């Protein structure tokens, strides 16, 4: 959501943006697909999934296989997770049927089977029907509030892109974290992200070019007395058209507040991972465990809560 520039740290969305730049499309507001543009501009599961796998293995000495993605929207992360191996499973939770339907259509459809006239299909290779069955068995969408329990314990539960900021009171936040802890296997891990730095609460607009369109992140208002935090994502196009894709009505939570709430919810330990910087002072996509982090205008951290 926020974007990287000098002395800023944010997760390496840069990789996703570079990828998008290679594929130029003629976008315009009319008919633009907000979920497609959101996935391109904001999400980078190709970076998140390896980070989560490495972190879990390091913390727990075994691979994580069963994922729960809260506030999953189109479940883009889950779709990358289950692609790692036939043993990986995922469950996604979201209360809005629209992104869920979009995700099922675009992120979980198996690639069409390749037909070859010269070579008959091998019996040992799965065809598209088999892959579809395998995906259906390994991924479940739950049109439910994130506080709903999981059918069975998960290894890893994630809540990304600050979506848990939808909980505006400490009581609600701790209640959610307690539910998250209860869903985990005994050595399970809950991972969240958090955006901070002095720019995070400024009323400001940031734009970023993403092949064929511009991503606009608008921090519309912040009230220090209550923590109320209104933000918006818009997409702008070369023909000067623009549309509002998402409006967020959140509370801005600081890292210390979130860590305390996780500990009060019963997590044994909370570790923080901060992104390193390049020589130019930009985020380098490499997250390392660090208790204190570094004070700069915008940074992004993963919080890793151990059950
Ligand atoms: C910012 S999007 C997150 C999309 C994606 N997971 C990501 O990481 O970018 C927030 C999503 O949270 C969902 N949501 C908001 N409150 C929720 C709740 N209490 N339970 C489940 N989903 C909720 C919204 O419907 C929306 O799809």
């Amino acid at each position: 959501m926020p974007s990287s520039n000098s002395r800023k740290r944010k997760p390496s969305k840069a990789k996703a943006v570079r990828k998008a730049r290679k594929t130029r499309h003629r976008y315009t507001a009319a008919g633009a697909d907000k979920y497609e543009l959101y996935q391109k501009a904001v999400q980078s599961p190709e970076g998140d999934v390896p980070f989560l796998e490495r972190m879990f293995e390091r913390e727990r000495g075994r691979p994580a296989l069963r994922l729960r993605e809260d506030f999953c929207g189109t479940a883009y992360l889950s779709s990358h997770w289950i692609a790692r191996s036939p043993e990986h499973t995922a469950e996604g939770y979201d209360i809005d049927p629209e992104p869920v339907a979009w995700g099922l259509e675009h992120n979980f459809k198996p690639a069409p089977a390749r037909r070859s006239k010269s070579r008959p299909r091998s019996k040992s290779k799965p065809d598209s029907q088999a892959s579809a069955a395998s995906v259906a068995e390994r991924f479940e969408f739950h049109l439910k509030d994130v506080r709903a329990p999981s059918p069975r314990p998960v290894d890893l539960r994630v809540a990304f892109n600050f979506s848990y900021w939808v909980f505006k009171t400490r009581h609600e936040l701790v209640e959610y974290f307690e539910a998250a802890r209860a869903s985990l296997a005994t050595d399970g891990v809950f991972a969240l992200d958090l955006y901070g730095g002095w720019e995070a609460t400024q009323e400001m607009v940031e734009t970023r070019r993403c092949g064929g369109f511009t991503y606009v992140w608008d921090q519309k208002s912040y009230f220090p007395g209550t923590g109320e935090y209104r933000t918006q994502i818009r997409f702008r196009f070369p023909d000067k058209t623009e549309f509002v894709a998402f409006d967020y009505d959140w509370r801005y939570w600081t890292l210390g507040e979130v860590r305390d709430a996780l500990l009060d919810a019963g997590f044994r330990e909370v570790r923080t991972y901060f992104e390193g910087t390049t020589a130019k002072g930009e985020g380098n996509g490499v997250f390392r465990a660090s208790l204190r982090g570094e004070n700069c205008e915008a940074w992004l951290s993963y919080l890793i809560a151990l059950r």
Side-chain angles (χ1 to χ4, degrees), residues 63 79 92 104 140 149 152 160 195 209 223 243 259 267 297:
S79 69
L104 282 173
E140 294 167 8
R152 61 201 80 86
F160 281 167
Y195 159 50
R209 305 259 321 251
F223 295 96
F243 78 95
R259 187 204 305 270
F267 285 95
E297 66 258 46

Side-chain angles (χ1 to χ4, degrees), residues 1 35 38 42-43 69-77 93-97 99 144-147 159-163 166-167 193 233 246 248 250:
M1 302 211 180
Y35 298 113
Y38 179 86
V42 176
Q43 295 186 278
E69 184 184 3
D70 284 347
F71 307 100
C72 67
T74 62
Y76 195 33
L77 183 79
Y93 287 72
D94 201 290
I95 44 173
D96 185 351
K144 286 183 181 163
D145 187 279
V146 289
R147 288 161 288 189
F160 281 167
N161 277 317
F162 335 124
S163 306
V166 74
F167 297 122
D193 57 4
I233 290 178
F246 301 98
Y248 301 111
W250 284 335

Side-chain angles (χ1 to χ4, degrees), residues 140-158:
E140 294 167 8
F141 252 128
H142 296 268
L143 204 53
K144 286 183 181 163
D145 187 279
V146 289
R147 288 161 288 189
S150 282
R152 61 201 80 86
V154 294
D155 297 327
L156 181 61
R157 179 162 170 170
V158 300

Side-chain angles (χ1 to χ4, degrees), residues 110-161:
R114 279 200 211 120
R115 285 171 195 276
S116 161
K117 282 181 187 160
S118 55
R119 201 155 46 94
R121 237 186 287 163
S122 155
K123 275 191 182 165
S124 62
K125 284 200 173 171
D127 61 17
S128 67
Q129 290 300 312
S131 338
S134 146
V135 165
E137 279 161 19
R138 293 189 293 116
F139 178 70
E140 294 167 8
F141 252 128
H142 296 268
L143 204 53
K144 286 183 181 163
D145 187 279
V146 289
R147 288 161 288 189
S150 282
R152 61 201 80 86
V154 294
D155 297 327
L156 181 61
R157 179 162 170 170
V158 300
F160 281 167
N161 277 317

